[in-house]
Amino acid sequence: MLVIPSLNLKGGQCVQLRQGRMDDSKVFSNDPVDVAGRWFDAGARRLHLVDLDGAYTGDPVHAALIQEIAQRFPNFSIQVGGGIRTLETIERYLGVGVNYAMIGSKAITDPEFVSDACKEFGGSIIVAIDAMNGKVATAGRREVSGIEATELAQRLDEEAVSAIVYTDIARDGMMQGMNVNAVVRLAQASSIPVIAAGGIANMDDVRTMKELAVTGVCGVVAGRAVYEKALDIVEAQRHCDH
């Protein structure tokens, strides 16, 4: 199982949000490239890179910065989300060294887009499901649809999606532990591997997630916990390797 540090971009800075609220962010660095290098130096094998401004506006805002990170660290895996609404955007990201493109809102508003992306870029597409009270949120988490996260996961089972990144918005950035039951339900709803996000606080949460590998959980995204130094990436990944 992978322990994947997150790097959220807002205004050119590395930030962490609470419950996905753009007006409740904490800046951790003015140099995201340096932060990415730190995580890779610490032994991370993949980076969860999100263009928060892009998710909010619907178009990539930090494409140049993301390209710089991808080209600076070509030997590491990077998954990018936020504002990915066209096949051209996916092609550009993959062309500069990004390994996985994460589709969010469009998985709800235009399901055919996921099918087209998987056909065009097989093996490089991840779907990000952000949920509030079990319902899928869209438009940078500002709107909540009437679709259950598990229902969307079931629909995606027919597509060649590499993974689902599932985030419980209420837990995201709060360091209060993960919504384990929701993660299990989501993992059991589909045969697609699940990367769990939102709420990781410490090693106990990592241990819990590792135990869920039998349900289909293949990774966990660690955000505020690693920035606040409540969780050590080296220790967490070592535990997940054994």
Side-chain angles (χ1 to χ4, degrees):
M1 189 177 85
L2 290 176
V3 179
I4 309 171
S6 70
L7 203 170
N8 298 326
L9 301 173
K10 179 173 181 258
Q13 299 173 312
C14 171
V15 307
Q16 290 291 315
L17 307 183
R18 291 185 188 274
Q19 298 180 325
R21 298 195 300 268
M22 289 287 277
D23 60 352
D24 188 358
S25 64
K26 181 176 179 179
V27 176
F28 283 93
S29 174
N30 292 315
D31 189 347
V33 179
D34 176 71
V35 173
R38 252 189 285 153
W39 293 139
F40 290 137
D41 286 344
R45 295 173 197 157
R46 186 183 296 185
L47 184 66
H48 180 79
L49 190 52
V50 180
D51 182 347
L52 293 176
D53 294 314
Y56 196 82
T57 64
D59 293 297
V61 172
H62 292 98
L65 182 53
I66 290 168
Q67 177 175 337
E68 183 179 355
I69 291 171
Q71 294 183 339
R72 183 77 66 87
F73 308 104
N75 297 323
F76 297 98
S77 180
I78 298 175
Q79 57 190 47
V80 169
I84 296 179
R85 311 286 169 88
T86 68
L87 295 178
E88 290 74 20
T89 298
I90 296 174
E91 185 174 29
R92 279 201 306 274
Y93 277 139
L94 297 181
V96 299
V98 168
N99 304 89
Y100 300 96
M102 293 187 286
I103 297 172
S105 297
K106 288 276 278 192
I108 287 289
T109 61
D110 184 7
E112 286 299 313
F113 179 68
V114 176
S115 299
D116 293 342
C118 287
K119 289 171 186 172
E120 186 77 18
F121 309 105
S124 298
I125 301 302
I126 290 173
V127 172
I129 299 180
D130 297 339
M132 179 66 77
N133 297 321
K135 306 285 187 181
V136 181
T138 61
R141 298 179 173 178
R142 286 170 294 167
E143 301 172 10
V144 179
S145 71
I147 299 175
E148 294 281 344
T150 51
E151 179 185 345
L152 178 55
Q154 288 170 342
R155 289 186 200 173
L156 293 170
D157 222 12
E158 301 176 4
E159 309 293 349
V161 174
S162 292
I164 292 171
V165 174
Y166 175 70
T167 305
D168 185 310
I169 297 171
R171 303 290 183 105
D172 198 25
M174 303 305 289
M175 291 178 61
Q176 295 176 349
M178 306 197 79
N179 187 337
V180 177
N181 291 335
V183 172
V184 171
R185 285 195 299 271
L186 196 287
Q188 292 178 336
S190 167
S191 62
I192 300 170
V194 172
I195 299 170
I200 282 281
N202 50 43
M203 274 299 299
D204 287 341
D205 294 318
V206 173
R207 294 185 186 99
T208 298
M209 287 299 108
K210 185 186 177 186
E211 291 174 2
L212 296 183
V214 293
T215 70
V217 176
C218 67
V220 60
V221 174
R224 188 175 289 264
V226 291
Y227 287 93
E228 301 279 9
K229 300 184 178 177
L231 178 69
D232 180 80
I233 286 288
V234 175
E235 179 188 5
Q237 187 60 65
R238 186 184 300 125
H239 174 78
C240 290
D241 285 342
H242 295 92

